Amino acid sequence: MEPVCNECAECMERREPVTMKARILRVCPCELLVCDLCNAQEVLVHTDNACCFRVGQCVCITYSGAMTMSIPPQISAECVKLIPCCCC
């Protein structure tokens, strides 16, 4: 039986970035609480530019694909861009 990878640093470096389209529910210093437009799941997004956004705006978030299993799940954004509000 082959060993199972538990997201080692090497695997994380090779992983393709993932994007999420979401609506902002709350803005705090260095984090956004958003609602994923594809599945209505709330996600806490860690980002240094959180103060650039407002509640109700829609954003496209690029992140590594790693998401915690906490409630709400958490991600660390590589990039957050404002987009016109739309569905998934």
Side-chain angles (χ1 to χ4, degrees):
M1 180 188 266
E2 288 188 31
V4 176
C5 178
N6 289 320
E7 297 301 327
C8 62
E10 183 180 336
C11 290
M12 291 299 291
E13 287 177 16
R14 287 185 289 177
R15 181 181 283 194
E16 291 294 318
V18 175
T19 59
M20 173 192 301
K21 292 181 182 177
R23 185 180 313 274
I24 298 173
L25 303 176
R26 186 178 72 212
V27 178
C28 296
C30 296
E31 64 186 36
L32 302 169
L33 180 65
V34 302
C35 180
D36 185 332
L37 293 175
C38 288
N39 60 20
Q41 179 181 32
E42 289 187 6
V43 178
L44 188 63
V45 181
H46 299 284
T47 177
D48 290 336
N49 65 343
C51 62
C52 298
F53 301 98
R54 297 187 321 263
V55 171
Q57 289 180 315
C58 291
V59 290
C60 182
I61 302 159
T62 304
Y63 66 105
S64 70
M67 183 179 289
T68 68
M69 294 178 65
S70 60
I71 299 176
Q74 300 179 39
I75 61 173
S76 293
E78 295 173 5
C79 179
V80 181
K81 293 183 182 178
L82 190 62
I83 59 172
C85 284
C86 63
C87 295
C88 177

